[in-house]
Amino acid sequence: QLQASGGGLVQPGGSLRLSCAASGSTFSSYAMGWYRQAPRKQRELVAHIRSGGNSYTAASVKGRFAISRDNAKKTVYLQMNSLKPEDTGVYYCNTVRFIGSTAVPGTAFWGQGTLVTVSS
């Protein structure tokens, strides 16, 4: 199971760090991803990190967001800086698998996510 946390209300330009805690013994072997769903929009991939540490961030958040993982703690993080109102949404974590070079969600289970609201 995956449990996302760390969301909240933050002013534009502020920062938040999201955490996703995993259970199970195989966390280190999985690529992990953060997704978000803004109001009235489809869920989108924000960032992913492979088991070896190579990461990807979407163009919309590049330079502002950073994904990292701590395999010993079975946790993946999303550091979000310089937040904008358009970053508002529910953030979810999930495993990631690759079809060719395309990252897709690894499971159909999304959990409750954590709400991030960027507003003054």
Side-chain angles (χ1 to χ4, degrees), residues 3-6 16-22 27 32-35 46-49 55-57 65-80 91-93:
Q3 181 65 51
S5 62
L16 282 175
R17 188 174 83 152
L18 306 184
S19 299
C20 174
F27 172 81
M32 298 296 299
W34 281 99
Y35 298 77
V46 175
H48 66 68
I49 185 167
S55 64
Y56 157 89
T57 50
F65 290 14
I67 188 171
S68 61
R69 65 190 297 161
D70 185 332
N71 289 334
K73 295 183 178 179
K74 300 180 183 178
T75 301
V76 60
Y77 304 98
L78 185 68
Q79 178 67 44
M80 306 187 296
Y91 285 69
Y92 303 88
C93 59

Side-chain angles (χ1 to χ4, degrees), residues 14-97:
S15 298
L16 282 175
R17 188 174 83 152
L18 306 184
S19 299
C20 174
S23 60
S25 60
T26 57
F27 172 81
S28 62
S29 65
Y30 285 98
M32 298 296 299
W34 281 99
Y35 298 77
R36 70 182 179 190
Q37 187 165 19
R40 297 174 298 281
K41 291 189 177 180
Q42 288 191 331
R43 188 154 36 210
E44 62 176 349
L45 176 67
V46 175
H48 66 68
I49 185 167
R50 294 180 185 255
S51 59
N54 289 340
S55 64
Y56 157 89
T57 50
S60 58
V61 302
K62 202 170 188 65
R64 301 188 297 119
F65 290 14
I67 188 171
S68 61
R69 65 190 297 161
D70 185 332
N71 289 334
K73 295 183 178 179
K74 300 180 183 178
T75 301
V76 60
Y77 304 98
L78 185 68
Q79 178 67 44
M80 306 187 296
N81 300 324
S82 302
L83 282 160
K84 304 176 180 180
E86 52 263 42
D87 295 319
T88 294
V90 180
Y91 285 69
Y92 303 88
C93 59
N94 201 338
T95 59
V96 171
R97 61 185 180 94

